[in-house]
Amino acid sequence: QAYPSSPVLQHRMSAAKRSYSGLQKQVLGLYRECLRVARTKSDDMRANVTNIAREEFKSKKGIPKNEIERIEYLLRKGRKQLDRIRSSNVDGVSRS
């Protein structure tokens, strides 16, 4: 057998085959962009941005997929927050 049959590997393989809606792709894209922006910051701020992003996305995970207006609102809010963090003169962040 060429590949190990671990549950983690099987989960990753099934996730790779999954197709996402446009809205889901936007949410995942925003999360990845948060992580990219975090990598451009100092070590302390990088950890802070990463942790806040993780907590925010995790806390919103249970929002039903059919609440499109709410998800779109949160995407707009998240993009605005990310633009503020992306600004080079930002030296700290906090969860609001």
Side-chain angles (χ1 to χ4, degrees), residues 41-42 44-46 48-49 52 84-85 87-95:
K41 302 299 179 180
S42 67
D44 291 339
M45 190 165 167
R46 177 182 309 128
N48 200 5
V49 170
I52 289 172
R84 284 193 292 266
I85 293 168
S87 171
S88 61
N89 60 353
V90 171
D91 57 2
V93 294
S94 64
R95 189 171 182 200

Side-chain angles (χ1 to χ4, degrees), residues 1 5 16 63 70 75 78 81 86-87 96:
Q1 184 175 357
S5 178
I63 296 174
R70 182 175 175 198
L75 279 168
Q81 290 173 331
R86 186 180 280 128
S87 171
S96 55

Side-chain angles (χ1 to χ4, degrees), residues 60-73:
K60 308 295 190 278
K61 185 178 180 179
I63 296 174
K65 293 178 187 178
N66 63 351
E67 291 190 22
I68 295 171
E69 289 180 10
R70 182 175 175 198
I71 296 168
E72 288 174 340
Y73 165 76

Side-chain angles (χ1 to χ4, degrees), residues 7-20 25 28 32:
V8 172
L9 182 60
Q10 289 173 354
H11 174 72
R12 286 184 184 160
M13 290 172 64
S14 66
K17 295 177 188 175
R18 183 178 304 144
S19 63
Y20 295 104
K25 289 178 184 178
L28 292 171
R32 284 192 298 267

Side-chain angles (χ1 to χ4, degrees), residues 29-52:
L30 180 60
Y31 184 71
R32 284 192 298 267
E33 187 63 22
C34 289
L35 299 180
R36 280 189 210 105
V37 168
R39 285 194 301 254
T40 67
K41 302 299 179 180
S42 67
D43 290 343
D44 291 339
M45 190 165 167
R46 177 182 309 128
N48 200 5
V49 170
T50 301
N51 288 333
I52 289 172

